[in-house]
């Protein structure tokens, strides 16, 4: 799977069909996958599958928790990152 196919896979197979907004940002040897139209969940991959970081917030309600659908989406993206880590590492020049 190449990077383009990976993104299509995330959008149409992993993320909930009703909430499949996805933004991908690159910075300093990291890829950030931002979910939902407000990008209020961010999954950051830095080349190490054991160090995937998840940031989530709801600016309207700081006391709100995550819903099951959000957790399922996050897990799916993290699993896809782990399964495709070699391709992602090559894409962001993390391997020698």
């Amino acid at each position: 799977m190449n990077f383009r196919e990976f993104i299509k896979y995330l959008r149409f197979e992993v993320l909930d069909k009703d909430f499949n907004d996805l933004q991908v940002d690159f910075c300093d040897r990291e890829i950030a996958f931002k979910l939902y139209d407000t990008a209020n969940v961010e999954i950051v991959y830095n080349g190490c599958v054991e160090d995937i970081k998840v940031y989530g917030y709801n600016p309207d309600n700081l006391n709100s928790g995550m819903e099951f659908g959000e957790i399922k989406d996050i897990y799916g993206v993290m699993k896809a990152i782990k399964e495709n880590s070699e391709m992602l590492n090559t894409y962001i020049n993390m391997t020698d």
Side-chain angles (χ1 to χ4, degrees):
M1 178 178 303
N2 64 33
F3 190 76
R4 183 180 182 96
E5 292 167 340
F6 178 73
I7 297 303
K8 283 179 74 174
Y9 172 73
L10 290 180
R11 286 195 69 222
F12 299 110
E13 301 295 326
V14 173
L15 298 176
D16 185 294
K17 297 195 185 327
D18 293 329
F19 302 101
N20 66 356
D21 292 330
L22 175 67
Q23 177 181 331
V24 181
D25 292 338
F26 298 89
C27 75
D28 294 336
R29 301 176 72 97
E30 292 182 337
I31 302 175
F33 300 91
K34 297 178 180 181
L35 309 183
Y36 312 119
D37 60 345
T38 58
N40 64 348
V41 174
E42 182 175 337
I43 302 164
V44 179
Y45 177 65
N46 66 4
C48 177
V49 294
E50 302 301 322
D51 192 32
I52 299 171
K53 302 228 184 318
V54 178
Y55 302 97
Y57 66 92
N58 182 343
D60 296 328
N61 183 358
L62 297 177
N63 296 322
S64 71
M66 289 190 172
E67 297 179 9
F68 177 76
E70 290 174 310
I71 294 169
K72 184 177 158 219
D73 287 345
I74 292 166
Y75 172 77
V77 172
M78 291 177 71
K79 182 178 177 195
I81 288 170
K82 188 170 186 174
E83 291 171 351
N84 293 278
S85 62
E86 287 184 29
M87 179 273 302
L88 292 172
N89 289 349
T90 301
Y91 192 83
I92 60 175
N93 297 321
M94 292 297 294
T95 59
D96 296 327

